[in-house]
Amino acid sequence: MSVRVLLVDDQEMIRVGFRMVLDARDGIDIVGEADDGDTALALLDEVEADVVLMDVRMPRMSGVEATRRVRERENPPKVLILTTFDLDEYAYEALRAGASGFLLKDTPLDEVVTAIRHVYEGDAVVAPSTTRRLLDHFARRLPAPATEEPAPTQKVFDELTPREHEVMRLVARGWSNAEIAEHLVLSEGTVKVHVGRILTKLDLRDRVQAVVLAYESGLVETGTT
């Protein structure tokens, strides 16, 4: 079954470029385009999408706010953030708002297609090393929104077993399942099971949300490797 994609970017040339290359790929179906967050939300009332490719910087409604509103919907599509720079403070805020990952706008086509499919299948961390750099750069610089509860303490991780705690720390540092498996001398399948149990115990949506929680709770500090 094709992955239904909604393109959201205020630059028409960007949308046209993505549509041309993605439409030519099997398994990708572009269901619509929008030039800002407001239009995207209205369009989602008319079409069904599995993944939204969302520009992070747009007039009227930013990609951050649009992402937050998209993710508040019933059975919402996944959101994949598009950004010009890999250290973009808006991209970090979008991850907190519910995005499943982000891509640079100059990402090679094959990687874009792979990322869309990974996000659709629930593998949220599209580029672990880039995600790690972004979080390291901005985790201490961005204050929590005034409407949010105070940052949780590490007690939220008490339900994890010692092994799950170890896996959680490595996930938080942006390591892929393969990297974790090699480091802990486990199979990738076993690591995937551990990650799934961690997300369930902590009531988290995906790996990106786990990374953000780990940084904001102090489980992993910026600058660690």
Side-chain angles (χ1 to χ4, degrees):
M1 184 176 66
S2 293
V3 180
R4 299 166 296 185
V5 177
L6 174 64
L7 302 176
V8 185
D9 197 296
D10 64 328
Q11 298 182 50
E12 184 177 4
M13 290 301 296
I14 296 292
R15 299 198 311 273
V16 170
F18 272 109
R19 173 179 282 277
M20 287 179 61
V21 295
L22 293 177
D23 266 344
R25 288 300 183 103
D26 292 336
I28 302 291
D29 182 18
I30 305 301
V31 296
E33 299 178 22
D35 60 3
D36 61 32
D38 285 320
T39 306
L41 292 172
L43 193 55
L44 284 173
D45 290 331
E46 302 175 7
V47 302
E48 293 186 4
D50 301 306
V51 177
V52 178
L53 278 182
M54 180 84 74
D55 184 19
V56 72
R57 300 190 184 199
M58 296 182 291
R60 294 182 293 279
M61 182 187 294
S62 72
V64 175
E65 180 60 24
T67 295
R68 183 175 293 110
R69 296 194 186 188
V70 167
R71 294 301 301 168
E72 288 174 348
R73 289 170 169 254
E74 185 177 357
N75 299 318
K78 303 292 179 62
V79 177
L80 192 53
I81 290 295
L82 295 171
T83 181
T84 305
F85 305 103
D86 63 349
L87 292 180
D88 188 328
E89 66 271 25
Y90 293 101
Y92 175 78
E93 291 180 359
L95 294 179
R96 296 182 66 185
S100 292
F102 66 94
L103 287 174
L104 300 182
K105 289 186 178 180
D106 61 357
T107 298
L109 172 60
D110 287 343
E111 293 183 24
V112 173
V113 173
T114 298
I116 290 172
R117 289 174 176 157
H118 281 330
V119 166
Y120 172 67
E121 293 168 359
D123 187 7
V125 180
V126 175
S129 61
T130 308
T131 301
R132 179 168 64 245
R133 291 202 312 275
L134 180 127
L135 289 169
D136 281 348
H137 191 74
F138 288 105
R140 285 183 175 173
R141 293 178 54 185
L142 294 176
T147 56
E148 287 191 353
E149 296 292 329
T153 68
Q154 293 190 29
K155 289 183 179 180
V156 298
F157 304 107
D158 286 349
E159 288 189 43
L160 304 184
T161 66
R163 176 62 88 186
E164 289 167 351
H165 201 277
E166 194 172 15
V167 170
M168 176 67 181
R169 285 181 177 274
L170 297 178
V171 167
R173 291 171 183 167
W175 289 30
S176 66
N177 284 352
E179 291 171 329
I180 296 172
E182 182 178 0
H183 181 73
L184 298 180
V185 194
L186 300 170
S187 70
E188 286 191 49
T190 298
V191 172
K192 187 173 182 179
V193 169
H194 282 311
V195 171
R197 288 174 178 169
I198 289 168
L199 298 181
T200 298
K201 288 182 178 182
L202 299 180
D203 193 25
L204 299 174
R205 181 190 65 251
D206 54 37
R207 293 171 69 109
V208 166
Q209 203 171 48
V211 173
V212 173
L213 174 62
Y215 273 78
E216 294 185 335
S217 66
L219 180 69
V220 175
E221 296 183 356
T222 57
T224 56
T225 58

PDB file of all heavy atoms in Angstrom, residues 70-97:
ATOM      1  N   VAL A  70      -1.595  19.184  14.257  1.00  0.00           N
ATOM      2  CA  VAL A  70      -1.766  17.933  13.503  1.00  0.00           C
ATOM      3  C   VAL A  70      -1.740  16.748  14.452  1.00  0.00           C
ATOM      4  O   VAL A  70      -2.576  15.839  14.374  1.00  0.00           O
ATOM      5  CB  VAL A  70      -0.670  17.791  12.432  1.00  0.00           C
ATOM      6  CG1 VAL A  70      -0.644  16.357  11.880  1.00  0.00           C
ATOM      7  CG2 VAL A  70      -0.889  18.774  11.295  1.00  0.00           C
ATOM      8  N   ARG A  71      -0.787  16.747  15.373  1.00  0.00           N
ATOM      9  CA  ARG A  71      -0.625  15.603  16.276  1.00  0.00           C
ATOM     10  C   ARG A  71      -1.727  15.520  17.320  1.00  0.00           C
ATOM     11  O   ARG A  71      -1.912  14.484  17.955  1.00  0.00           O
ATOM     12  CB  ARG A  71       0.737  15.678  16.957  1.00  0.00           C
ATOM     13  CG  ARG A  71       1.920  15.513  16.008  1.00  0.00           C
ATOM     14  CD  ARG A  71       1.886  14.192  15.275  1.00  0.00           C
ATOM     15  NE  ARG A  71       1.906  13.074  16.201  1.00  0.00           N
ATOM     16  CZ  ARG A  71       1.663  11.815  15.875  1.00  0.00           C
ATOM     17  NH1 ARG A  71       1.338  11.512  14.616  1.00  0.00           N
ATOM     18  NH2 ARG A  71       1.732  10.868  16.775  1.00  0.00           N
ATOM     19  N   GLU A  72      -2.488  16.596  17.505  1.00  0.00           N
ATOM     20  CA  GLU A  72      -3.607  16.571  18.445  1.00  0.00           C
ATOM     21  C   GLU A  72      -4.853  15.939  17.834  1.00  0.00           C
ATOM     22  O   GLU A  72      -5.813  15.643  18.542  1.00  0.00           O
ATOM     23  CB  GLU A  72      -3.942  17.999  18.900  1.00  0.00           C
ATOM     24  CG  GLU A  72      -2.903  18.596  19.847  1.00  0.00           C
ATOM     25  CD  GLU A  72      -3.192  20.057  20.164  1.00  0.00           C
ATOM     26  OE1 GLU A  72      -4.054  20.657  19.476  1.00  0.00           O
ATOM     27  OE2 GLU A  72      -2.543  20.592  21.077  1.00  0.00           O
ATOM     28  N   ARG A  73      -4.836  15.700  16.533  1.00  0.00           N
ATOM     29  CA  ARG A  73      -5.994  15.122  15.854  1.00  0.00           C
ATOM     30  C   ARG A  73      -6.165  13.645  16.217  1.00  0.00           C
ATOM     31  O   ARG A  73      -5.222  12.988  16.644  1.00  0.00           O
ATOM     32  CB  ARG A  73      -5.845  15.250  14.339  1.00  0.00           C
ATOM     33  CG  ARG A  73      -5.986  16.670  13.820  1.00  0.00           C
ATOM     34  CD  ARG A  73      -5.602  16.782  12.371  1.00  0.00           C
ATOM     35  NE  ARG A  73      -5.980  18.083  11.842  1.00  0.00           N
ATOM     36  CZ  ARG A  73      -7.001  18.288  11.012  1.00  0.00           C
ATOM     37  NH1 ARG A  73      -7.711  17.263  10.570  1.00  0.00           N
ATOM     38  NH2 ARG A  73      -7.299  19.504  10.601  1.00  0.00           N
ATOM     39  N   GLU A  74      -7.365  13.159  15.993  1.00  0.00           N
ATOM     40  CA  GLU A  74      -7.613  11.729  16.190  1.00  0.00           C
ATOM     41  C   GLU A  74      -6.963  10.955  15.044  1.00  0.00           C
ATOM     42  O   GLU A  74      -7.112  11.309  13.881  1.00  0.00           O
ATOM     43  CB  GLU A  74      -9.117  11.457  16.219  1.00  0.00           C
ATOM     44  CG  GLU A  74      -9.473  10.027  16.542  1.00  0.00           C
ATOM     45  CD  GLU A  74     -10.963   9.804  16.646  1.00  0.00           C
ATOM     46  OE1 GLU A  74     -11.724  10.788  16.528  1.00  0.00           O
ATOM     47  OE2 GLU A  74     -11.373   8.650  16.846  1.00  0.00           O
ATOM     48  N   ASN A  75      -6.218   9.903  15.382  1.00  0.00           N
ATOM     49  CA  ASN A  75      -5.466   9.118  14.395  1.00  0.00           C
ATOM     50  C   ASN A  75      -4.666  10.026  13.458  1.00  0.00           C
ATOM     51  O   ASN A  75      -4.849  10.004  12.224  1.00  0.00           O
ATOM     52  CB  ASN A  75      -6.421   8.243  13.568  1.00  0.00           C
ATOM     53  CG  ASN A  75      -7.179   7.257  14.422  1.00  0.00           C
ATOM     54  OD1 ASN A  75      -6.622   6.650  15.329  1.00  0.00           O
ATOM     55  ND2 ASN A  75      -8.465   7.096  14.138  1.00  0.00           N
ATOM     56  N   PRO A  76      -3.782  10.827  14.011  1.00  0.00           N
ATOM     57  CA  PRO A  76      -3.073  11.821  13.198  1.00  0.00           C
ATOM     58  C   PRO A  76      -1.996  11.208  12.315  1.00  0.00           C
ATOM     59  O   PRO A  76      -1.450  10.145  12.621  1.00  0.00           O
ATOM     60  CB  PRO A  76      -2.433  12.726  14.253  1.00  0.00           C
ATOM     61  CG  PRO A  76      -2.153  11.791  15.398  1.00  0.00           C
ATOM     62  CD  PRO A  76      -3.335  10.861  15.412  1.00  0.00           C
ATOM     63  N   PRO A  77      -1.657  11.885  11.220  1.00  0.00           N
ATOM     64  CA  PRO A  77      -0.520  11.432  10.413  1.00  0.00           C
ATOM     65  C   PRO A  77       0.782  11.724  11.142  1.00  0.00           C
ATOM     66  O   PRO A  77       0.828  12.555  12.061  1.00  0.00           O
ATOM     67  CB  PRO A  77      -0.648  12.276   9.140  1.00  0.00           C
ATOM     68  CG  PRO A  77      -1.350  13.524   9.583  1.00  0.00           C
ATOM     69  CD  PRO A  77      -2.311  13.077  10.649  1.00  0.00           C
ATOM     70  N   LYS A  78       1.852  11.042  10.748  1.00  0.00           N
ATOM     71  CA  LYS A  78       3.173  11.358  11.268  1.00  0.00           C
ATOM     72  C   LYS A  78       3.652  12.643  10.607  1.00  0.00           C
ATOM     73  O   LYS A  78       3.230  12.980   9.504  1.00  0.00           O
ATOM     74  CB  LYS A  78       4.152  10.217  10.966  1.00  0.00           C
ATOM     75  CG  LYS A  78       3.730   8.854  11.499  1.00  0.00           C
ATOM     76  CD  LYS A  78       3.785   8.833  13.012  1.00  0.00           C
ATOM     77  CE  LYS A  78       3.344   7.474  13.559  1.00  0.00           C
ATOM     78  NZ  LYS A  78       4.221   6.374  13.131  1.00  0.00           N
ATOM     79  N   VAL A  79       4.519  13.363  11.290  1.00  0.00           N
ATOM     80  CA  VAL A  79       5.064  14.605  10.745  1.00  0.00           C
ATOM     81  C   VAL A  79       6.571  14.490  10.624  1.00  0.00           C
ATOM     82  O   VAL A  79       7.260  14.116  11.578  1.00  0.00           O
ATOM     83  CB  VAL A  79       4.707  15.816  11.629  1.00  0.00           C
ATOM     84  CG1 VAL A  79       5.356  17.090  11.068  1.00  0.00           C
ATOM     85  CG2 VAL A  79       3.196  15.986  11.736  1.00  0.00           C
ATOM     86  N   LEU A  80       7.070  14.805   9.446  1.00  0.00           N
ATOM     87  CA  LEU A  80       8.501  14.814   9.168  1.00  0.00           C
ATOM     88  C   LEU A  80       8.883  16.250   8.825  1.00  0.00           C
ATOM     89  O   LEU A  80       8.390  16.815   7.848  1.00  0.00           O
ATOM     90  CB  LEU A  80       8.805  13.875   8.002  1.00  0.00           C
ATOM     91  CG  LEU A  80      10.253  13.501   7.697  1.00  0.00           C
ATOM     92  CD1 LEU A  80      10.961  12.953   8.918  1.00  0.00           C
ATOM     93  CD2 LEU A  80      10.281  12.474   6.570  1.00  0.00           C
ATOM     94  N   ILE A  81       9.721  16.851   9.658  1.00  0.00           N
ATOM     95  CA  ILE A  81      10.050  18.264   9.525  1.00  0.00           C
ATOM     96  C   ILE A  81      11.112  18.492   8.450  1.00  0.00           C
ATOM     97  O   ILE A  81      12.101  17.750   8.369  1.00  0.00           O
ATOM     98  CB  ILE A  81      10.551  18.824  10.873  1.00  0.00           C
ATOM     99  CG1 ILE A  81       9.391  18.909  11.872  1.00  0.00           C
ATOM    100  CG2 ILE A  81      11.199  20.193  10.703  1.00  0.00           C
ATOM    101  CD1 ILE A  81       8.299  19.892  11.478  1.00  0.00           C
ATOM    102  N   LEU A  82      10.897  19.518   7.642  1.00  0.00           N
ATOM    103  CA  LEU A  82      11.874  19.942   6.645  1.00  0.00           C
ATOM    104  C   LEU A  82      12.561  21.209   7.141  1.00  0.00           C
ATOM    105  O   LEU A  82      11.897  22.163   7.546  1.00  0.00           O
ATOM    106  CB  LEU A  82      11.188  20.239   5.312  1.00  0.00           C
ATOM    107  CG  LEU A  82      10.525  19.065   4.606  1.00  0.00           C
ATOM    108  CD1 LEU A  82       9.716  19.569   3.417  1.00  0.00           C
ATOM    109  CD2 LEU A  82      11.576  18.070   4.142  1.00  0.00           C
ATOM    110  N   THR A  83      13.883  21.222   7.155  1.00  0.00           N
ATOM    111  CA  THR A  83      14.616  22.387   7.621  1.00  0.00           C
ATOM    112  C   THR A  83      15.813  22.641   6.720  1.00  0.00           C
ATOM    113  O   THR A  83      16.337  21.725   6.093  1.00  0.00           O
ATOM    114  CB  THR A  83      15.075  22.199   9.086  1.00  0.00           C
ATOM    115  OG1 THR A  83      15.775  23.352   9.525  1.00  0.00           O
ATOM    116  CG2 THR A  83      15.968  20.993   9.215  1.00  0.00           C
ATOM    117  N   THR A  84      16.223  23.895   6.639  1.00  0.00           N
ATOM    118  CA  THR A  84      17.359  24.259   5.796  1.00  0.00           C
ATOM    119  C   THR A  84      18.676  23.963   6.482  1.00  0.00           C
ATOM    120  O   THR A  84      19.649  23.572   5.851  1.00  0.00           O
ATOM    121  CB  THR A  84      17.290  25.757   5.430  1.00  0.00           C
ATOM    122  OG1 THR A  84      16.032  26.032   4.829  1.00  0.00           O
ATOM    123  CG2 THR A  84      18.405  26.129   4.464  1.00  0.00           C
ATOM    124  N   PHE A  85      18.699  24.122   7.805  1.00  0.00           N
ATOM    125  CA  PHE A  85      19.923  23.920   8.567  1.00  0.00           C
ATOM    126  C   PHE A  85      19.737  22.788   9.562  1.00  0.00           C
ATOM    127  O   PHE A  85      18.687  22.662  10.184  1.00  0.00           O
ATOM    128  CB  PHE A  85      20.308  25.198   9.314  1.00  0.00           C
ATOM    129  CG  PHE A  85      20.423  26.398   8.413  1.00  0.00           C
ATOM    130  CD1 PHE A  85      19.420  27.348   8.379  1.00  0.00           C
ATOM    131  CD2 PHE A  85      21.524  26.558   7.587  1.00  0.00           C
ATOM    132  CE1 PHE A  85      19.509  28.452   7.548  1.00  0.00           C
ATOM    133  CE2 PHE A  85      21.620  27.664   6.747  1.00  0.00           C
ATOM    134  CZ  PHE A  85      20.615  28.610   6.724  1.00  0.00           C
ATOM    135  N   ASP A  86      20.793  21.971   9.754  1.00  0.00           N
ATOM    136  CA  ASP A  86      20.632  20.822  10.638  1.00  0.00           C
ATOM    137  C   ASP A  86      20.664  21.210  12.109  1.00  0.00           C
ATOM    138  O   ASP A  86      20.297  20.420  12.965  1.00  0.00           O
ATOM    139  CB  ASP A  86      21.689  19.743  10.351  1.00  0.00           C
ATOM    140  CG  ASP A  86      23.106  20.212  10.606  1.00  0.00           C
ATOM    141  OD1 ASP A  86      23.304  21.419  10.797  1.00  0.00           O
ATOM    142  OD2 ASP A  86      24.004  19.357  10.616  1.00  0.00           O
ATOM    143  N   LEU A  87      21.073  22.439  12.436  1.00  0.00           N
ATOM    144  CA  LEU A  87      21.005  22.916  13.811  1.00  0.00           C
ATOM    145  C   LEU A  87      20.019  24.071  13.865  1.00  0.00           C
ATOM    146  O   LEU A  87      20.368  25.233  13.952  1.00  0.00           O
ATOM    147  CB  LEU A  87      22.392  23.359  14.300  1.00  0.00           C
ATOM    148  CG  LEU A  87      23.406  22.231  14.456  1.00  0.00           C
ATOM    149  CD1 LEU A  87      24.745  22.785  14.948  1.00  0.00           C
ATOM    150  CD2 LEU A  87      22.902  21.166  15.413  1.00  0.00           C
ATOM    151  N   ASP A  88      18.768  23.735  13.774  1.00  0.00           N
ATOM    152  CA  ASP A  88      17.689  24.710  13.681  1.00  0.00           C
ATOM    153  C   ASP A  88      16.838  24.615  14.943  1.00  0.00           C
ATOM    154  O   ASP A  88      16.242  23.586  15.226  1.00  0.00           O
ATOM    155  CB  ASP A  88      16.851  24.391  12.443  1.00  0.00           C
ATOM    156  CG  ASP A  88      15.818  25.465  12.149  1.00  0.00           C
ATOM    157  OD1 ASP A  88      15.319  26.083  13.105  1.00  0.00           O
ATOM    158  OD2 ASP A  88      15.513  25.670  10.980  1.00  0.00           O
ATOM    159  N   GLU A  89      16.787  25.706  15.728  1.00  0.00           N
ATOM    160  CA  GLU A  89      16.050  25.656  16.992  1.00  0.00           C
ATOM    161  C   GLU A  89      14.582  25.336  16.779  1.00  0.00           C
ATOM    162  O   GLU A  89      13.944  24.721  17.629  1.00  0.00           O
ATOM    163  CB  GLU A  89      16.197  26.971  17.754  1.00  0.00           C
ATOM    164  CG  GLU A  89      15.561  28.182  17.100  1.00  0.00           C
ATOM    165  CD  GLU A  89      16.501  28.903  16.153  1.00  0.00           C
ATOM    166  OE1 GLU A  89      17.434  28.268  15.626  1.00  0.00           O
ATOM    167  OE2 GLU A  89      16.281  30.104  15.918  1.00  0.00           O
ATOM    168  N   TYR A  90      14.036  25.719  15.626  1.00  0.00           N
ATOM    169  CA  TYR A  90      12.635  25.414  15.355  1.00  0.00           C
ATOM    170  C   TYR A  90      12.425  23.912  15.159  1.00  0.00           C
ATOM    171  O   TYR A  90      11.370  23.377  15.495  1.00  0.00           O
ATOM    172  CB  TYR A  90      12.152  26.185  14.132  1.00  0.00           C
ATOM    173  CG  TYR A  90      12.098  27.675  14.339  1.00  0.00           C
ATOM    174  CD1 TYR A  90      13.094  28.494  13.853  1.00  0.00           C
ATOM    175  CD2 TYR A  90      11.049  28.257  15.046  1.00  0.00           C
ATOM    176  CE1 TYR A  90      13.058  29.875  14.050  1.00  0.00           C
ATOM    177  CE2 TYR A  90      10.992  29.627  15.248  1.00  0.00           C
ATOM    178  CZ  TYR A  90      12.011  30.434  14.749  1.00  0.00           C
ATOM    179  OH  TYR A  90      11.964  31.785  14.954  1.00  0.00           O
ATOM    180  N   ALA A  91      13.422  23.244  14.615  1.00  0.00           N
ATOM    181  CA  ALA A  91      13.307  21.798  14.436  1.00  0.00           C
ATOM    182  C   ALA A  91      13.219  21.111  15.791  1.00  0.00           C
ATOM    183  O   ALA A  91      12.460  20.160  15.983  1.00  0.00           O
ATOM    184  CB  ALA A  91      14.491  21.264  13.635  1.00  0.00           C
ATOM    185  N   TYR A  92      14.012  21.572  16.755  1.00  0.00           N
ATOM    186  CA  TYR A  92      13.944  20.997  18.102  1.00  0.00           C
ATOM    187  C   TYR A  92      12.558  21.210  18.697  1.00  0.00           C
ATOM    188  O   TYR A  92      11.964  20.288  19.277  1.00  0.00           O
ATOM    189  CB  TYR A  92      15.003  21.627  19.007  1.00  0.00           C
ATOM    190  CG  TYR A  92      14.914  21.158  20.436  1.00  0.00           C
ATOM    191  CD1 TYR A  92      15.418  19.911  20.807  1.00  0.00           C
ATOM    192  CD2 TYR A  92      14.289  21.931  21.412  1.00  0.00           C
ATOM    193  CE1 TYR A  92      15.317  19.463  22.115  1.00  0.00           C
ATOM    194  CE2 TYR A  92      14.189  21.487  22.713  1.00  0.00           C
ATOM    195  CZ  TYR A  92      14.698  20.264  23.069  1.00  0.00           C
ATOM    196  OH  TYR A  92      14.591  19.821  24.363  1.00  0.00           O
ATOM    197  N   GLU A  93      12.030  22.427  18.572  1.00  0.00           N
ATOM    198  CA  GLU A  93      10.696  22.693  19.105  1.00  0.00           C
ATOM    199  C   GLU A  93       9.652  21.817  18.418  1.00  0.00           C
ATOM    200  O   GLU A  93       8.682  21.384  19.041  1.00  0.00           O
ATOM    201  CB  GLU A  93      10.343  24.172  18.910  1.00  0.00           C
ATOM    202  CG  GLU A  93      11.175  25.113  19.777  1.00  0.00           C
ATOM    203  CD  GLU A  93      10.805  26.569  19.549  1.00  0.00           C
ATOM    204  OE1 GLU A  93       9.926  26.825  18.711  1.00  0.00           O
ATOM    205  OE2 GLU A  93      11.405  27.429  20.212  1.00  0.00           O
ATOM    206  N   ALA A  94       9.838  21.547  17.133  1.00  0.00           N
ATOM    207  CA  ALA A  94       8.899  20.703  16.402  1.00  0.00           C
ATOM    208  C   ALA A  94       8.942  19.266  16.909  1.00  0.00           C
ATOM    209  O   ALA A  94       7.915  18.585  16.965  1.00  0.00           O
ATOM    210  CB  ALA A  94       9.190  20.752  14.910  1.00  0.00           C
ATOM    211  N   LEU A  95      10.139  18.784  17.278  1.00  0.00           N
ATOM    212  CA  LEU A  95      10.238  17.450  17.861  1.00  0.00           C
ATOM    213  C   LEU A  95       9.451  17.391  19.161  1.00  0.00           C
ATOM    214  O   LEU A  95       8.743  16.419  19.439  1.00  0.00           O
ATOM    215  CB  LEU A  95      11.703  17.079  18.118  1.00  0.00           C
ATOM    216  CG  LEU A  95      12.603  16.904  16.899  1.00  0.00           C
ATOM    217  CD1 LEU A  95      14.019  16.552  17.337  1.00  0.00           C
ATOM    218  CD2 LEU A  95      12.064  15.847  15.950  1.00  0.00           C
ATOM    219  N   ARG A  96       9.561  18.431  19.955  1.00  0.00           N
ATOM    220  CA  ARG A  96       8.805  18.483  21.207  1.00  0.00           C
ATOM    221  C   ARG A  96       7.308  18.548  20.932  1.00  0.00           C
ATOM    222  O   ARG A  96       6.504  18.061  21.730  1.00  0.00           O
ATOM    223  CB  ARG A  96       9.230  19.700  22.024  1.00  0.00           C
ATOM    224  CG  ARG A  96      10.680  19.663  22.487  1.00  0.00           C
ATOM    225  CD  ARG A  96      11.025  20.865  23.328  1.00  0.00           C
ATOM    226  NE  ARG A  96      10.273  20.844  24.581  1.00  0.00           N
ATOM    227  CZ  ARG A  96      10.305  21.825  25.483  1.00  0.00           C
ATOM    228  NH1 ARG A  96      11.030  22.892  25.255  1.00  0.00           N
ATOM    229  NH2 ARG A  96       9.617  21.742  26.590  1.00  0.00           N
ATOM    230  N   ALA A  97       6.937  19.162  19.821  1.00  0.00           N
ATOM    231  CA  ALA A  97       5.518  19.313  19.486  1.00  0.00           C
ATOM    232  C   ALA A  97       4.908  18.030  18.928  1.00  0.00           C
ATOM    233  O   ALA A  97       3.695  17.944  18.778  1.00  0.00           O
ATOM    234  CB  ALA A  97       5.337  20.449  18.479  1.00  0.00           C
TER     235      ALA A  97
END
